[in-house]
């Protein structure tokens, strides 16, 4: 594994100093993205590039079900991996669009991985981010320096999942009036004088 990855498995991602994961549902379907801060671009480039021949070998064995292409977005090389994701989701019976592509890009200071147009949007910019959301800013409060956090726009998530929940949960019609009262939730960890605290705030009725 060490020879294949170019580093011991526990150290393979040690060029990453911090990371965030985002996911959401919209009229276009599910989006999912990972943005990681890179403190050693040379190591990141070497290790990610070393995996491309392995992926290419895998595509040759997949009989066309998996393909890999590279393109340029805003001066950044983006690798697009096409997989039969939609078909796998369709087999579950869930009415959810996820697309068939996963993009991977490495900039001077970030590693980006995502479904759909997440990577392209992150590179080009000009789109609304979580940091501009009034609901997020209000929920985060003064904990802008933290050891990690999780934020959920519960009302939007429940609204987007409503048709799926109605199909998969016979009792959803009884639960829905109570569930839709949830607006937002945030979990934030902070550390002060070696004391670690975790705050969970649930906001309802807004």
């Amino acid at each position: 594994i060490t020879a294949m990855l170019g580093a011991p498995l526990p150290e393979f991602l040690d060029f990453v100093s911090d990371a965030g994961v985002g996911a959401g549902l919209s009229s276009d379907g599910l989006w999912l993205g990972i943005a990681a801060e890179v403190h050693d671009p040379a190591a990141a480039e070497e290790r990610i590039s070393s995996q491309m021949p392995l992926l290419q070998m895998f595509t040759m064995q997949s009989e066309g079900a998996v393909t890999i292409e590279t393109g340029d977005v805003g001066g950044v090389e983006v690798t697009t991996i096409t997989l039969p994701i939609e078909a796998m989701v369709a087999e579950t019976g869930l009415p959810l669009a996820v697309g068939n592509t996963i993009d991977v890009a490495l900039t001077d200071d970030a590693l980006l991985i995502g479904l759909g147009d997440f990577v392209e949007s992150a590179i080009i910019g000009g789109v609304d981010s979580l940091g501009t959301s009034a609901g997020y800013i209000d929920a985060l409060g003064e904990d802008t320096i933290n050891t990690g956090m999780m934020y959920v726009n519960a009302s939007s998530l429940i609204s987007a999942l409503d048709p799926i929940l109605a199909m998969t949960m016979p009792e959803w019609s009884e639960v829905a009036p109570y569930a839709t009262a949830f607006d937002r939730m945030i979990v934030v960890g902070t550390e002060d004088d070696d004391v670690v605290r975790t705050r969970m705030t649930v906001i309802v009725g807004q």
Side-chain angles (χ1 to χ4, degrees):
I1 293 176
T2 298
M4 180 179 67
L5 297 179
L9 184 57
E11 300 175 11
F12 180 72
L13 291 175
D14 63 3
F15 56 82
V16 169
S17 56
D18 199 2
V21 179
L25 285 168
S26 69
S27 58
D28 296 327
L30 172 72
W31 67 265
L32 174 68
I34 301 172
E37 292 182 351
V38 173
H39 65 83
D40 190 343
E45 175 68 28
E46 179 182 355
R47 292 178 191 173
I48 292 175
S49 297
S50 69
Q51 304 313 301
M52 289 303 141
L54 295 175
L55 291 175
Q56 294 289 357
M57 186 182 303
F58 178 69
T59 62
M60 290 187 290
Q61 301 296 323
S62 68
E63 298 181 351
V66 180
T67 61
I68 299 178
E69 299 177 343
T70 59
D72 182 277
V73 176
V76 177
E77 183 178 277
V78 177
T79 300
T80 299
I81 304 170
T82 302
L83 302 162
I85 304 174
E86 289 276 14
M88 290 186 289
V89 173
E91 290 178 358
T92 67
L94 296 176
L96 185 65
V98 295
N100 287 317
T101 60
I102 299 174
D103 289 336
V104 180
L106 180 65
T107 69
D108 291 337
D109 56 6
L111 172 64
L112 304 170
I113 304 173
L115 293 172
D117 60 358
F118 171 82
V119 170
E120 180 178 350
S121 297
I123 293 173
I124 296 176
V127 297
D128 292 337
S129 69
L130 184 61
T132 64
S133 165
Y136 166 74
I137 294 171
D138 173 65
L140 183 62
E142 297 180 355
D143 295 327
T144 52
I145 300 176
N146 54 70
T147 58
M149 55 80 60
M150 178 181 70
Y151 175 76
V152 180
N153 186 336
S155 61
S156 296
L157 181 62
I158 292 171
S159 176
L161 289 175
D162 184 75
I164 298 176
L165 295 172
M167 182 183 71
T168 57
M169 295 175 56
E171 67 276 14
W172 176 245
S173 60
E174 300 176 6
V175 176
Y178 302 97
T180 53
F182 290 96
D183 185 58
R184 289 163 284 148
M185 181 186 78
I186 192 167
V187 181
V188 188
T190 56
E191 183 176 355
D192 183 24
D193 295 330
D194 296 326
V195 177
V196 178
R197 297 179 175 85
T198 300
R199 167 175 70 89
M200 181 176 75
T201 305
V202 178
I203 301 170
V204 298
Q206 296 190 14

